[in-house]
Amino acid sequence: MVSRRSFIKKAALAGAAAVLGPSVLRAEEAENRLLGEGMPHGQVPVEETGQKSHLIVKKNNGLRITGTFLDEISHDIPHQNWGEREWDQDFQYMKAIGIDTVIVIRSGYRKFITYPSPYLIKKRGCYMPSVDLIDMYLRLADKYNMKFYFGLYDSGHYWDTGDMSWETEDNKYVIDEVWKTYGHHKSFKGWYISTEISRQTKGAIETFHAMGRQCKDVSGGLPVFISPWIDGKKAVEGTGSLTKEQAVSVQQHEREWNEIFDGIHDVVDACAFQDGHIDYDELDAFFSVNKKLADRYGMQCWTNAETFDRDMPIRFLPIKFDKLRLKLEAAKRCHYDKAITFEFSHFMSPQSAYVQAHHLYERYKEYFF
C-alpha cells in the first residue's frame, strides 16, 4: 500500500520531472536509498560506489564459518523480538555466505522454552511460548536446504548447584517428545548437548554419555556435538574483570579433555570448543591440542568462533573483524573440520540490532569472497 506521503511526493515529482528533466528523478532515487524505501525488509541502505577495503593480508586464508547457533532462548544477550519474516530474511543472509548448519543453542532455559513441551510445562511449570520456534526453524531449514541441530533443555539447576542430574532427567522426556514431534523434517540432522563445561566437572562424563546415547538411540544414530569452553585467562564470567591470573595450562587442558573424550567419544561425534576465552597468541597451542585429541578418539574438531568481543567492558558487542580473522586463520592452520559461530543473528547479521554487526558481515565478505 502506498502511503499518503509517498503518493503526494511521487505526484509532485512527476510534474516537476516534465519541466526539470531526469535530475529530479535521480534526486528521488537518492532519497529513497537514504530512507531505505523500496529495499528488502531489514536491509541497511548503502550508497553503491563499488568501493572496498584495501586488504594488506592474504584473502580467504581462514576457515569459513558454515554453521551458527540460534540464540532465541538467551542467557545474557538481549532479544531482538523477530517474527518469521525477520528469521526468513536472516536465513537468506546466512545462506549467502555459505552457512549450511543452524543449531538451536538450547530448547529452553529455566522456564522459558522454544516449543510447547507438554512435559516441561506440566512438570517444570515452564511458560507457554507464543510461537513454536522449533517448528519455524525446521521449516526454514527445510526451505533453504540447511542442516538443523536441536539443542537440549537447560534447567539452570546445574548452574545453581553444580549437580548435573536434573539435566539428564529432564532431557529424557525432551529428547523423546521432540523426536516424535519434529523428527520427520528432512533438515533435522543432529543434536547439541547444551550443557557447557570447561574442566573435569563432577558427573560430566556420565551426563554427556547418557544424553548422547539417548539422542542417538531415538534418531537412528544422528550425530551429537558439544561446545565447551577453555578455562583460559578470559573465562571470567561473574567476576567483573576482563582477565584472570589462574588460567588452565595447555598441558592440563590436554590431560583433562583426554579423559573426557575417552569417556564420551562413542556417543559424541564432534566437539566445538569456544575460542574466546584464550588470548590470540595462544590459539595455535590450544587448537593443536584440541585437534590432536579429536583425531585420537575419532571425533570431528570444530571451532565455535565467537563473533562477540570478550575484550570489551560492555557485555556483549560484535567483535572487531581482525580478531575474528585471527581465530579463523588459526583454525585453518590447525586443520579443523568446521567453523560454527555464536552467533550470526546478533553479531554478524545485516539486520542485527547492532550496527557493528552489519559492518562485520561486509568485512567478512570482503575477506572471504
Side-chain angles (χ1 to χ4, degrees):
M1 178 178 289
V2 178
S3 68
R4 180 174 179 273
R5 172 180 174 272
S6 294
F7 175 79
I8 293 171
K9 183 185 74 173
K10 290 181 186 299
L13 284 167
V19 179
L20 299 177
S23 60
V24 172
L25 298 179
R26 287 195 295 270
E28 182 193 20
E29 291 171 0
E31 181 183 0
N32 285 342
R33 284 197 300 270
L34 180 63
L35 297 175
E37 293 183 8
M39 301 186 70
H41 176 77
Q43 184 169 323
V44 178
V46 177
E47 183 67 29
E48 292 294 338
T49 63
Q51 190 171 352
K52 292 186 177 182
S53 304
H54 297 287
L55 296 178
I56 58 173
V57 295
K58 183 180 178 181
K59 291 184 62 175
N60 194 21
N61 195 34
L63 187 62
R64 293 188 186 187
I65 294 170
T66 56
T68 181
F69 284 104
L70 304 172
D71 185 38
E72 182 55 31
I73 296 296
S74 183
H75 174 63
D76 49 12
I77 309 294
H79 288 276
Q80 301 194 98
N81 293 307
W82 287 354
E84 187 155 347
R85 179 178 64 175
E86 290 85 1
W87 280 111
D88 190 296
Q89 179 68 71
D90 225 46
F91 272 59
Q92 293 179 56
Y93 286 133
M94 295 174 197
K95 189 79 173 178
I97 60 168
I99 289 177
D100 60 18
T101 306
V102 291
I103 309 114
V104 171
I105 192 163
R106 56 185 70 84
S107 56
Y109 180 59
R110 299 187 188 269
K111 291 192 175 184
F112 284 96
I113 52 179
T114 55
Y115 73 101
S117 163
Y119 170 80
L120 292 173
I121 291 171
K122 181 178 180 180
K123 184 71 174 180
R124 297 300 178 206
C126 291
Y127 310 128
M128 172 67 79
S130 57
V131 173
D132 186 337
L133 292 167
I134 301 303
D135 172 71
M136 181 189 71
Y137 288 142
L138 279 162
R139 284 188 288 104
L140 290 173
D142 289 345
K143 179 179 178 180
Y144 293 108
N145 197 30
M146 292 182 175
K147 295 184 284 288
F148 173 91
Y149 280 68
F150 180 86
L152 302 186
Y153 174 68
D154 184 345
S155 71
H157 193 76
Y158 160 62
W159 300 112
D160 295 338
T161 66
D163 180 6
M164 284 192 176
S165 62
W166 279 40
E167 312 311 323
T168 306
E169 184 64 23
D170 285 336
N171 279 295
K172 285 180 184 177
Y173 299 93
V174 168
I175 293 165
D176 279 343
E177 68 182 14
V178 162
W179 184 250
K180 288 175 184 175
T181 306
Y182 307 105
H184 64 278
H185 281 272
K186 68 175 184 178
S187 60
F188 199 129
K189 296 296 186 183
W191 306 86
Y192 168 59
I193 298 176
S194 59
T195 307
E196 296 179 15
I197 63 171
S198 66
R199 307 285 292 270
Q200 287 175 317
T201 303
K202 182 180 179 181
I205 293 175
E206 295 78 10
T207 299
F208 283 10
H209 198 278
M211 292 192 287
R213 171 54 62 201
Q214 186 180 353
C215 287
K216 284 186 168 295
D217 285 347
V218 302
S219 63
L222 286 183
V224 177
F225 87 97
I226 60 174
S227 185
W229 77 90
I230 299 170
D231 194 23
K233 62 188 295 185
K234 301 181 191 178
V236 292
E237 290 303 308
T239 67
S241 302
L242 292 178
T243 60
K244 65 180 182 182
E245 294 295 328
Q246 298 300 317
V248 70
S249 68
V250 175
Q251 295 76 19
Q252 185 65 19
H253 173 78
E254 181 173 4
R255 284 193 296 270
E256 294 185 11
W257 278 97
N258 182 69
E259 181 178 343
I260 295 169
F261 281 7
D262 185 54
I264 66 173
H265 71 276
D266 58 323
V267 295
V268 175
D269 301 272
C271 181
F273 278 103
Q274 300 167 30
D275 68 2
H277 296 89
I278 55 177
D279 220 338
Y280 304 100
D281 56 6
E282 299 176 301
L283 290 168
D284 284 86
F286 280 97
F287 280 18
S288 296
V289 163
N290 295 342
K291 177 61 173 169
K292 180 172 69 173
L293 289 173
D295 287 349
R296 178 180 300 164
Y297 289 101
M299 299 167 64
Q300 285 205 329
C301 188
W302 298 2
T303 185
N304 180 356
E306 294 177 344
T307 37
F308 64 92
D309 199 335
R310 290 187 180 272
D311 302 330
M312 300 294 291
I314 301 172
R315 304 291 171 127
F316 293 98
L317 295 175
I319 198 169
K320 175 183 173 68
F321 171 71
D322 274 340
K323 294 179 180 180
L324 177 61
R325 176 180 62 83
L326 290 172
K327 297 190 295 183
L328 295 175
E329 288 176 350
K332 183 177 181 179
R333 282 194 301 273
C334 295
H335 307 290
Y336 272 32
D337 299 296
K338 187 178 181 71
I340 63 175
T341 185
F342 184 89
E343 45 74 61
F344 179 89
S345 298
H346 279 96
F347 303 117
M348 200 173 172
S349 170
Q351 62 176 3
S352 167
Y354 299 110
V355 175
Q356 301 97 318
H358 312 171
H359 303 314
L360 182 58
Y361 187 80
E362 294 301 321
R363 302 293 78 74
Y364 180 89
K365 289 197 300 180
E366 285 180 341
Y367 175 77
F368 276 109
F369 299 99

